[in-house]
Amino acid sequence: MKALNKVEKRELQRQRLMDNKVYQTMTVLTKYMDRYFLDAIIGIIPGWGDVIALVCVLPFVYFSLYVIKSIPLTLAVINNALRDVLMGMIPFYVGDIIDFFHRANVQNMEMIQGFVDGDEIIIRKVNQRAWQSVIVLVILLLLIVLVIWLLISFGSFLYSLVASLF
């Protein structure tokens, strides 16, 4: 049997990934959620539309984390999904209008496909989004610590205020 060269190995790996059931599910979700605007339509349902859209991102997260095994790609997919949900939550149907134009599932699929194909431009974009996600997570953690500190300080102040009354 002839040894496979690098291009043939990459093509076999690419085909194996594309034959994966999760990949096929992502393709269907992308088609219905973004190309047929289902994401924007279900976004009209107050509260639930964005939750449903976020649940539809789970196959992308699973595929990038457990099948491709790439933490930067997973962070980029999560970053993109959360950005989509945040924009979709803008009130007075502005978020739903944005959902017609911001196609997060198409973008996630392009990042995953580019990552699988070894597209250098996509890989740079994925790494950039991954760093953005890390920075945002660090800022959020610092804000959480700050809020906890403020709550403890406020609680101590209230306790001393009540204790001084008695």
Side-chain angles (χ1 to χ4, degrees):
M1 181 174 201
K2 185 174 104 174
L4 298 175
N5 65 26
K6 201 173 198 176
V7 174
E8 291 171 333
K9 284 182 183 179
R10 179 171 284 286
E11 185 57 36
L12 281 174
Q13 180 185 15
R14 182 177 183 271
Q15 191 59 46
R16 181 181 61 83
L17 291 173
M18 291 175 71
D19 289 341
N20 188 301
K21 293 283 186 199
V22 177
Y23 184 89
Q24 294 167 358
T25 301
M26 293 183 323
T27 303
V28 170
L29 282 171
T30 300
K31 177 181 172 184
Y32 286 105
M33 293 296 284
D34 286 348
R35 291 200 172 93
Y36 295 150
F37 305 108
L38 190 59
D39 186 18
I41 293 168
I42 64 171
I44 294 171
I45 304 168
W48 287 101
D50 295 314
V51 171
I52 294 168
L54 196 56
V55 168
C56 290
V57 173
L58 292 177
F60 294 91
V61 173
Y62 175 83
F63 192 82
S64 60
L65 187 60
Y66 293 108
V67 177
I68 295 178
K69 296 179 173 73
S70 170
I71 291 175
L73 180 60
T74 305
L75 287 172
V77 166
I78 292 170
N79 178 328
N80 201 32
L82 292 177
R83 186 180 303 157
D84 182 55
V85 168
L86 182 63
M87 287 189 290
M89 293 174 71
I90 297 173
F92 307 114
Y93 301 104
V94 174
D96 300 319
I97 293 168
I98 291 172
D99 273 341
F100 272 101
F101 301 104
H102 184 258
R103 300 179 177 194
N105 294 314
V106 169
Q107 292 173 5
N108 284 339
M109 200 67 187
E110 288 172 354
M111 285 191 299
I112 288 171
Q113 191 63 51
F115 204 84
V116 168
D117 293 341
D119 184 336
E120 292 298 323
I121 295 170
I122 298 290
I123 291 172
R124 260 195 307 273
K125 179 180 175 182
V126 164
N127 289 332
Q128 180 184 10
R129 288 246 172 113
W131 278 111
Q132 287 173 358
S133 298
V134 168
I135 291 168
V136 168
L137 284 173
V138 167
I139 290 170
L140 287 174
L141 287 173
L142 289 173
L143 287 172
I144 289 169
V145 168
L146 177 65
V147 168
I148 290 171
W149 178 78
L150 287 171
L151 287 172
I152 290 171
S153 297
F154 185 68
S156 297
F157 170 75
L158 284 179
Y159 178 76
S160 65
L161 186 65
V162 169
S164 68
L165 294 174
F166 296 107

